[in-house]
Amino acid sequence: MSQSLVRLIKIDKTAAGRRLDQWLAQQCAPELSRARIAKLIGSGQVRIDGKPVLEPRFKPPTGGEVELILPPPVAAKPKGEDIDLEILYEDADIIIINKPAGLVVHPGNGNAGGTLVNALIHHCGQHAAAGFGLSGIGGVKRPGIVHRLDKDTSGVMVIAKNDAAHGHLSRQFADHGRSGVLERRYQAVVWGVPSPPGGIINAPLARDPRERTRRAIARNDAGDVRRAITHYTILRQSAMGDGKAPAACLVECRLETGRTHQIRVHMAHIGHPLIGDKTYGQAFKTKINLLPESVRAEVAAFPRQALLAAFLRLQHPKTGAIMEFTVKPPPDMQNLLQALAL
């Protein structure tokens, strides 16, 4: 099995006042490009004096030592793997699945296999005689992928089986239902109860400057700022609380835009993070003290953000038929709802 290659580079006076990615590219030329080094930095593969540096523009201190970790090469194309899929609908143009929590959508850093793409390649290979394949628009590592769900978010996804279907579906998702029929609704279990009980969160998102894998509410006009709008409605409120307000509620969120971690960031932004969200809800973990002692342990043990892609409406890319798909919460989320009397 291939192992990562580690290079140690002393930081000399040639690095003074220069960006880390720029200086490393010079040190590693021609083997590594500046773009490749920037990706390594962003994925935590570069350390200075033992501490990870995640910002390419960081200016390294003279006299230190850079540890550059080069992951082993991976296959250019994902391989099919026999992974169970819950298929809600399938024809020669699209597949609709109910993605389970814990399943990564496509291969990437740290996830060379065991992804939804690997499962789809295997599934479609078994049905090749029927003309079932996957579109290539998304590239070799994202065949058929029109949209994504976070690893620990479950729910409805559509996959394109050919380029024509992919293009049609991509236009629907880009429009977000403003002029078409596409609609996505999510269900989230959040701490507290938003006020008012329904509203619009209009807050642009950008990459968190302190941690590149996170998103944050944009505070300025940085280059990666993206418009982000979420419509929310309270569905049910927990009977548990401190006597003044319920400890949690079930919220339906409808996306007007589809940004990475949008619902999770937006709900935390208004003070009601998703239960189980270790990335955006850590500052609110004391809210568990509002619950009766008998249910605290079960809620504290919930292993992921409590988020379900519950509903998807779209237009079939070939027939034009309007199709709707609804899924129920998976068992772990049902148990959470029951524990919270939701």
Side-chain angles (χ1 to χ4, degrees):
M1 183 177 178
S2 299
Q3 294 184 342
S4 298
L5 175 66
V6 179
R7 290 184 60 175
L8 299 177
I9 306 171
K10 291 291 185 181
I11 305 174
D12 58 24
K13 61 182 181 181
T14 63
R18 301 180 66 187
R19 290 170 53 119
L20 178 60
D21 60 343
Q22 183 186 46
W23 179 74
L24 275 179
Q26 185 181 58
Q27 301 301 307
C28 299
E31 291 86 359
L32 297 175
S33 68
R34 183 172 172 179
R36 171 63 171 153
I37 287 173
K39 288 183 178 180
L40 290 172
I41 293 172
S43 61
Q45 305 299 316
V46 176
R47 299 179 181 181
I48 294 181
D49 295 333
K51 296 181 179 180
V53 177
L54 300 175
E55 181 52 61
R57 73 185 72 182
F58 177 79
K59 295 181 180 179
T62 302
E65 184 177 63
V66 173
E67 181 182 356
L68 180 63
I69 304 169
L70 301 173
V74 297
K77 293 184 179 181
K79 296 180 180 180
E81 297 180 29
D82 189 4
I83 300 171
D84 287 339
L85 292 174
E86 183 181 346
I87 297 176
L88 306 176
Y89 174 85
E90 181 174 15
D91 61 23
D93 298 289
I94 61 174
I95 308 176
I96 309 291
I97 68 159
N98 182 12
K99 187 190 88 66
L103 183 64
V104 176
V105 170
H106 58 73
N109 291 331
N111 297 290
T115 72
L116 173 60
V117 162
N118 298 103
L120 290 168
I121 290 172
H122 173 81
H123 173 78
C124 290
Q126 288 185 315
H127 297 84
F132 290 178
L134 291 170
S135 80
I137 291 178
V140 294
K141 291 190 177 181
R142 303 184 186 187
I145 301 302
V146 179
H147 66 119
R148 294 183 295 172
L149 295 177
D150 292 342
K151 172 186 175 181
D152 289 327
T153 298
S154 62
V156 188
M157 280 189 67
V158 58
I159 294 94
K161 286 191 164 186
N162 53 65
D163 289 355
H166 197 135
H168 194 286
L169 290 169
S170 293
R171 289 190 291 274
Q172 291 188 56
F173 276 84
D175 182 67
H176 291 287
R178 287 185 287 270
S179 61
V181 303
L182 186 109
E183 184 175 335
R184 288 183 288 170
R185 297 183 211 148
Y186 290 72
Q187 290 183 6
V189 186
V190 305
W191 289 113
V193 179
S195 181
I200 300 174
I201 306 170
N202 186 347
L205 302 180
R207 194 183 297 275
D208 190 326
R210 297 166 296 182
E211 191 173 340
R212 294 178 61 82
T213 58
R214 289 168 47 105
R215 295 300 186 271
I217 302 300
R219 304 298 182 186
N220 52 44
D221 295 327
D224 66 343
V225 171
R226 297 290 185 269
R227 175 174 172 266
I229 300 175
T230 303
H231 300 252
Y232 74 87
T233 304
I234 295 175
L235 297 179
R236 296 193 294 275
Q237 299 182 23
S238 175
M240 302 174 184
D242 59 1
K244 298 178 181 178
C249 70
L250 179 65
V251 175
E252 180 179 86
C253 295
R254 182 175 61 82
L255 297 182
E256 189 173 321
T257 57
R259 308 304 180 196
T260 300
H261 300 176
Q262 178 174 319
I263 292 173
R264 298 165 62 189
V265 179
H266 272 178
M267 295 310 297
H269 174 61
I270 65 170
H272 301 281
L274 275 61
I275 289 179
D277 194 337
K278 296 177 177 61
T279 301
Y280 301 105
Q282 282 294 85
F284 301 85
K285 59 185 178 182
T286 56
K287 287 183 178 290
I288 200 168
N289 295 326
L290 298 175
L291 298 174
E293 189 172 350
S294 59
V295 300
R296 287 179 194 172
E298 184 168 354
V299 175
F302 192 74
R304 61 185 181 89
Q305 65 267 9
L307 184 61
L308 169 72
F311 174 84
L312 174 65
R313 182 174 66 212
L314 54 80
Q315 183 180 46
H316 191 282
K318 187 172 184 179
T319 68
I322 308 304
M323 310 178 75
E324 295 185 352
F325 300 91
T326 302
V327 295
K328 296 180 179 180
D332 65 341
M333 195 165 166
Q334 289 183 12
N335 291 339
L336 177 67
L337 293 169
Q338 184 175 1
L340 291 169
L342 284 168

